[in-house]
Amino acid sequence: FCLMAVPGKVAAFRLPPLPTVGEIIRLFRLKAQKQLSQNFLLDLRLTDKIVRQAGELKNAHVCEVGPGPGGITRSILSAGVEQLLLIEKDARFVPGLQMLSEAAPGKVCIVHGDILTYKMEKAFPKHLKKNWEDEPPDIHIIGNLPFSVSTPLIIKWLENVSKKDGPFIYGRTQLTLTFQKEVAERLTANPGGKQRSRLSIMSQHLCTVENCFVIPGQAFVPKPKVDVAVVHFTPLVQPKIQQPFKLVEKVVQSVFQFRRKYCFRGIETLFPESGRLKRTEQLMMTADVDPTLRPFQLSMSHFRNLCNTYRKMCDEDPSLFAYSYREELRQRKKTRNLLKSTSQPKQTEEENQL
């Protein structure tokens, strides 16, 4: 459902005096739930700083993910937005958010729902749509994400970027989101960096990714064990790897499967056991990738070459893309268990790694 206060004309919008975020928490007896990895940000100077990273929001349409008690919500409204869509999974926060909605007549729509399943294709007015090649639309997504949802959500949105659907049906919609500091470092890591990972490639081949600033853990209530970073994403006009999202994801996941070994070790897992060595050599030679490089040393052009070559190999052998290394290991283990043997078979190195 969507709750919206009655419209009212406001020349220069300014929130009226309201209870503080801390008072809202006490008033509605709100408590961060550990199982939902909730952490509240009460310092409005920090929430203002997060909102500034989104860029110019005057008269913009904004979606805030997981507003909670409404700290960032106040900063977004104070920036003079045209419309603010709030998507909150936890019903306990709705009454406090409704109070903010009433203080900003006609500006706020509250949806009690899960952002992972919410249909973003209909979240904003159609007239805001822009061509992909144009400047980003006047639409922004902002959120202090619970740690448990941040990685699956950004992967989901990156796939939306690749397909130009979801919130990106309107054009190159920008995102300003919080992550654990370590996850933010992975998202922005350069080749050779110790945090270079699957997330680095998947995000950077589709977006310009900027690690804006770090918020110390003690700024949150309750205090998390880690610091938090604010990351800004702007989708690229042309992805750096022009292949389907699932194919890129499969190649990148395989490469980083054995992170500390030479990269050929992970690339091998793209191929069935029969003919594995020959096909791995063929892929690496055609893609011009040194097999003794570690996964984190590979550049974006290395991954582009690997994906393009793997795509050609899949076109020649349509069954190849459906192959799963993990499934092959499971089947092998299952077969061994069926054999009535007196001695327990020792696990292979691959099974221990996985």
Side-chain angles (χ1 to χ4, degrees):
F1 63 90
C2 181
L3 301 171
M4 191 173 228
V6 179
K9 289 190 177 179
V10 186
F13 181 77
R14 189 170 182 176
L15 279 172
L18 286 164
T20 66
V21 180
E23 287 167 346
I24 291 273
I25 289 170
R26 287 191 292 275
L27 178 65
F28 294 103
R29 297 179 181 178
L30 302 173
K31 188 178 180 182
Q33 292 193 358
K34 193 172 182 180
Q35 66 268 33
L36 297 176
S37 59
Q38 292 174 337
N39 302 94
F40 305 148
L41 190 56
L42 308 186
D43 188 335
L44 292 184
R45 290 169 302 177
L46 285 172
T47 60
D48 285 346
K49 191 175 179 182
I50 291 171
V51 170
R52 282 198 297 273
Q53 298 303 320
E56 179 56 60
L57 294 186
K58 190 167 178 60
N59 300 323
H61 287 247
V62 176
C63 171
E64 186 189 353
V65 182
I72 294 177
T73 313
R74 295 176 187 228
S75 297
I76 295 171
L77 287 169
S78 297
V81 298
E82 179 73 19
Q83 289 287 327
L84 175 56
L85 170 65
L86 303 176
I87 301 176
E88 178 53 65
K89 185 177 180 179
D90 192 335
R92 297 176 306 144
F93 296 118
V94 172
L97 296 172
Q98 182 63 16
M99 187 182 289
L100 277 175
S101 176
E102 289 163 2
K107 283 185 176 286
V108 180
C109 175
I110 304 166
V111 172
H112 175 218
D114 187 343
I115 188 61
L116 286 168
T117 55
Y118 183 72
K119 302 292 183 188
M120 294 291 284
E121 292 86 347
K122 298 177 182 177
F124 304 104
K126 288 182 181 177
H127 73 266
L128 295 173
K129 281 189 180 182
K130 287 199 174 184
N131 293 324
W132 195 260
E133 298 74 25
D134 295 341
E135 287 298 303
D138 217 2
I139 295 171
H140 300 262
I141 297 175
I142 299 173
N144 172 31
L145 303 176
F147 295 156
S148 60
V149 79
S150 59
T151 301
L153 183 57
I154 196 59
I155 289 292
K156 172 184 163 66
W157 277 341
L158 288 170
E159 184 167 7
N160 289 145
V161 171
S162 177
K163 295 177 177 177
K164 298 181 178 134
D165 62 11
F168 307 97
I169 202 167
Y170 302 92
R172 296 186 296 123
T173 301
Q174 297 178 80
L175 313 169
T176 307
L177 307 167
T178 61
F179 296 88
Q180 289 184 52
K181 184 184 173 188
E182 185 181 332
V183 175
E185 287 170 350
R186 287 181 200 157
L187 286 162
T188 55
N190 294 317
K194 64 179 182 178
Q195 295 287 14
R196 185 77 161 175
S197 67
R198 172 182 72 113
L199 273 180
S200 317
I201 311 303
M202 297 310 296
S203 57
Q204 292 171 34
H205 103 266
L206 290 163
C207 298
T208 300
V209 191
E210 181 188 358
N211 193 337
C212 303
F213 66 95
V214 174
I215 304 172
Q218 59 259 34
F220 293 86
V221 177
K223 177 187 170 184
K225 293 179 181 178
V226 294
D227 292 337
V228 172
V230 177
V231 183
H232 185 77
F233 300 80
T234 305
L236 296 165
V237 173
Q238 288 288 347
K240 292 179 181 174
I241 304 172
Q242 295 191 27
Q243 294 294 348
F245 184 87
K246 291 297 183 187
L247 184 140
V248 178
E249 188 175 44
K250 184 178 182 184
V251 171
V252 173
Q253 279 181 332
S254 296
V255 170
F256 282 100
Q257 185 125 244
F258 302 104
R259 179 180 173 77
R260 298 186 182 184
K261 295 185 178 289
Y262 293 141
C263 64
F264 81 84
R265 186 66 195 82
I267 291 170
E268 281 184 326
T269 66
L270 287 167
F271 304 108
E273 191 172 23
S274 59
R276 177 173 288 157
L277 185 60
K278 185 180 177 182
R279 282 174 144 180
T280 302
E281 288 174 351
Q282 179 192 343
L283 173 56
M284 302 205 72
M285 195 175 294
T286 309
D288 193 24
V289 174
D290 180 349
T292 62
L293 289 173
R294 311 282 178 183
F296 59 87
Q297 294 176 308
L298 298 185
S299 67
M300 191 63 75
S301 62
H302 284 137
F303 279 101
R304 181 169 56 245
N305 292 348
L306 287 169
C307 290
N308 290 344
T309 307
Y310 180 66
R311 171 66 184 270
K312 286 178 184 173
M313 295 173 81
C314 289
D315 288 345
E316 291 166 7
D317 178 1
S319 68
L320 185 56
F321 186 71
Y323 165 73
S324 167
Y325 178 70
R326 288 170 183 263
E327 185 57 35
E328 185 179 71
L329 283 182
R330 273 194 291 269
Q331 289 300 327
R332 198 190 303 167
K333 188 175 180 181
K334 190 176 177 183
T335 304
R336 276 207 312 268
N337 288 342
L338 287 171
L339 297 172
K340 292 181 179 180
S341 173
T342 51
S343 60
Q344 186 70 21
K346 191 178 179 182
Q347 278 193 318
T348 64
E349 182 193 357
E350 292 98 326
E351 288 165 339
N352 285 325
Q353 285 267 8
L354 290 169

